[in-house]
Amino acid sequence: MSNRTSLPVPWLRLGRIERYVLVQQGRSLAIALGVIAALIMLIDFVEISRGVGSDVDLPAARILGLMLLKSPQVVIQLLPFVFLFGTLAAFVGLNRRSELIAMRAAGISAWRFVLPAAGAAFMVGVLTVTALGPAASAADGLFQRERARLSGAAGGLDAPQAVWIREGDDTRQMIIRAEQQDRASARLLDVSFFIYSNDAAGSRTFSERIDAASASLSAGRWRLVDAVGAQIGQRAVRYATLDLPSSLAEDEAFERFARPQSTSFWALPAQIGRVENAGFSTTAYRLRLQQLLATPLMFAAMSMLAAAFSLRLMRLGDLARMSVAAVLLGFGFFFVNQAASAFGSAEVIPAWLAAWLPPLLTALAAFTLLFYTEDG
């Protein structure tokens, strides 16, 4: 004698009904993605035209190419809303055509078509983190370099902004401060090197300061031009050029300050190690890594939340009210995610908690609503 439960055992096996629901979800997701991507591309096109296009006379095709490099990163950040709106539209459509009512009347549990939809969203999340995200990060990095090159070609340096770099090993540490950076020629301008020596006990002692008109990183060394160095108790010495050994890779003086959001998933662990070895805080990078790891769960939770609200329409019969409630709840979890990120960046809460709390809350809300819908 077999007992039927609301959660079927063979939910991993996709039958005809599950495949049909997945097809409907895929179509709605494609439409939602197209609408959101079109809006983002339009905004980016206008922004690039008013930004880079105002410095350099660029044809429309060139601006379009820059837009295609910049927009994917923003689209990926908004993918949770694609799953929220797309899944909601798919299940609402099934409800309006009374297809969900027929499925439920036939004794089919809601878990049979909700879990495959969530599983598909989870797999898309894995693909996004491992493949689409790194490609978008690379495109965004190319856009940043191209924008800097175009701005440099227009005869302007980056806006004055102090740059701080720290590097070294167990015996020596260097703190580098530059008043300005010229990305076009990969140089730090009006730069000061503060050199410290470490003893066996780990104590750090200031040993020398070197000021230079410019510094460039190449072949494992800093090349200083028009430099003046002074050690404690000694007179200043002027150098036309001076080389200092460096543990940084070429161009890392600029790349290490890239936003964590522009760093791909595969590059984050190495980036965390480099930043940590240089003595800087890695909180922002660790938070970004945890957020990427939680992305598949966020996609699945958004999909389940939208489906759960759509299923309740069969009993409540209030399509507009429940749809608006689902959208508002999705935005609410988005703001929770932003608040958690802010707390994590400020080290008020651990980075892993700030990253995993929003998707876990979303998933718990979706499961609670689904259990209530199924079991009353």
Side-chain angles (χ1 to χ4, degrees):
M1 180 176 180
S2 61
N3 296 326
R4 295 184 59 185
T5 60
S6 60
L7 181 61
V9 175
W11 62 272
L12 286 174
R13 180 175 56 84
L14 296 181
R16 182 175 300 176
I17 293 178
E18 291 84 352
R19 291 196 299 269
Y20 175 76
V21 173
L22 285 178
V23 169
Q24 299 302 315
Q25 182 193 24
R27 291 176 179 174
S28 297
L29 289 176
I31 295 174
L33 178 61
V35 172
I36 292 179
L39 291 174
I40 291 174
M41 289 181 180
L42 178 61
I43 295 173
D44 285 341
F45 187 89
V46 175
E47 181 183 350
I48 295 173
S49 300
R50 298 179 60 181
V52 181
S54 62
D55 297 331
V56 184
D57 187 14
L58 295 177
R62 188 68 180 278
I63 297 177
L64 180 62
L66 292 175
M67 178 205 68
L68 293 177
L69 292 176
K70 182 177 184 294
S71 296
Q73 183 73 8
V74 184
V75 173
I76 287 179
Q77 293 177 5
L78 295 180
L79 279 181
F81 289 99
V82 172
F83 281 95
L84 176 65
F85 298 142
T87 305
L88 183 64
F91 279 84
V92 166
L94 292 173
N95 238 323
R96 293 173 71 93
R97 296 190 298 269
S98 300
E99 291 175 321
L100 285 182
I101 298 176
M103 296 177 192
R104 300 297 298 278
I108 298 175
S109 172
W111 295 102
R112 281 190 57 181
F113 39 84
V114 172
L115 287 181
F122 187 91
M123 296 305 299
V124 173
V126 173
L127 178 64
T128 299
V129 172
T130 57
L132 301 180
S137 297
D140 183 71
L142 182 59
F143 166 77
Q144 299 293 341
R145 290 191 295 271
E146 186 66 14
R147 183 176 64 176
R149 188 187 67 82
L150 292 173
S151 299
L157 299 174
D158 292 347
Q161 184 178 7
V163 177
W164 289 90
I165 302 174
R166 180 176 176 179
E167 65 161 306
D169 49 30
D170 295 336
T171 61
R172 190 187 69 158
Q173 291 283 330
M174 287 197 308
I175 298 178
I176 307 167
R177 184 186 189 279
E179 293 291 342
Q180 198 173 13
Q181 53 183 334
D182 182 2
R183 292 183 181 271
S185 59
R187 293 184 305 162
L188 300 177
L189 305 179
D190 194 6
V191 61
S192 299
F193 286 74
F194 302 91
I195 303 176
Y196 296 81
S197 58
N198 300 332
D199 56 21
S203 300
R204 187 171 301 161
T205 305
F206 175 76
S207 60
E208 186 178 6
R209 172 176 175 170
I210 303 175
D211 298 318
S214 65
S216 58
L217 183 62
S218 176
R221 64 181 182 179
W222 286 103
R223 170 60 61 90
L224 280 61
V225 178
D226 192 12
V228 178
Q231 297 182 357
I232 298 178
Q234 298 184 14
R235 298 182 60 180
V237 180
R238 182 172 294 276
Y239 307 91
T241 60
L242 177 65
D243 291 339
L244 295 177
S246 173
S247 60
L248 300 178
E250 293 184 13
D251 298 330
E252 196 174 4
F254 298 106
E255 296 299 331
R256 67 189 292 106
F257 292 101
R259 297 179 301 119
Q261 288 76 12
S262 299
T263 307
S264 70
F265 172 75
W266 302 110
L268 270 173
Q271 182 80 335
I272 291 173
R274 288 194 296 266
V275 174
E276 196 170 46
N277 291 335
F280 290 98
S281 173
T282 59
T283 302
Y285 295 94
R286 294 184 184 277
L287 175 61
R288 177 59 178 169
L289 178 61
Q290 292 297 324
Q291 287 176 335
L292 290 176
L293 292 175
T295 295
L297 178 59
M298 174 61 82
F299 288 2
M302 282 293 193
S303 179
M304 292 182 62
L305 183 67
F309 271 92
S310 303
L311 292 175
R312 282 183 58 94
L313 298 178
M314 293 183 298
R315 296 185 177 181
L316 299 182
D318 192 347
L319 177 63
R321 183 171 64 87
M322 296 301 296
S323 299
V324 171
V327 173
L328 291 179
L329 188 58
F331 276 106
F333 279 112
F334 173 78
F335 289 117
V336 169
N337 184 38
Q338 295 300 105
S341 298
F343 286 129
S345 299
E347 299 184 2
V348 176
I349 59 178
W352 64 267
L353 181 60
W356 288 91
L357 182 62
L360 285 175
L361 289 177
T362 307
L364 288 175
F367 271 109
T368 301
L369 189 55
L370 281 171
F371 279 117
Y372 180 76
T373 301
E374 282 293 279
D375 302 328

